[in-house]
């Protein structure tokens, strides 16, 4: 299971969201669960709730996705970097042929986008 945390899910994890906490636990405890934090979304989460970036980046079950050249080129065409980096990270890759699911507390923002969504709203 490959899951991308968008900035809303990251902020929710820092505020004690039970569903986000369960994802973090599973990514740490189960070998076939992978949790990713796109760098641009991590920045936005930290702006909304200072300390979020450092906390999430220190968790062993969370992989921070760098902004590489391909991601930067994809982001350049979008309005918000956090959402664009999350969507880019959810695309299929060699490691994730089916792509990844975006975990969010704002599922409506992904309506009409070519992504699968996991709503973390309690």
């Amino acid at each position: 299971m490959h899951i991308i945390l968008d900035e809303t899910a990251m902020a929710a994890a820092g505020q004690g969201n039970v569903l986000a906490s369960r994802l973090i636990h599973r990514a740490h405890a189960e070998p076939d669960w992978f949790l990713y934090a796109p760098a641009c979304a991590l920045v936005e989460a930290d702006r909304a709730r200072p300390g979020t970036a450092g906390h999430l980046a220190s968790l062993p079950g969370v992989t921070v996705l760098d902004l590489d050249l391909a991601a930067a080129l994809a982001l350049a065409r979008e309005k918000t970097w956090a959402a664009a980096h999350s969507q880019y990270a959810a695309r299929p890759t060699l490691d994730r042929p089916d792509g990844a699911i975006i975990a969010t507390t704002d599922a409506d923002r992904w309506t009409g986008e070519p992504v699968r969504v996991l709503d973390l709203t309690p």
Side-chain angles (χ1 to χ4, degrees), residues 111-122:
T111 301
E113 298 295 337
V115 296
R116 295 176 291 159
V117 173
L118 174 61
D119 190 351
L120 300 181
T121 305

Side-chain angles (χ1 to χ4, degrees), residues 4-14 24 35-59 62-67 75 80-86 89 109:
I4 307 294
L5 296 171
D6 76 358
E7 74 276 12
T8 68
M10 293 179 200
I24 293 167
L35 202 54
Y36 304 97
C40 292
L42 196 59
V43 168
E44 287 303 315
D46 200 71
R47 286 181 179 166
R49 188 169 193 282
T52 300
H55 175 70
L56 283 172
S58 70
L59 297 173
V62 177
T63 301
V64 176
L65 299 176
D66 294 331
L67 184 62
L75 295 177
T80 64
W81 285 28
H85 199 189
S86 296
R109 79 184 283 192

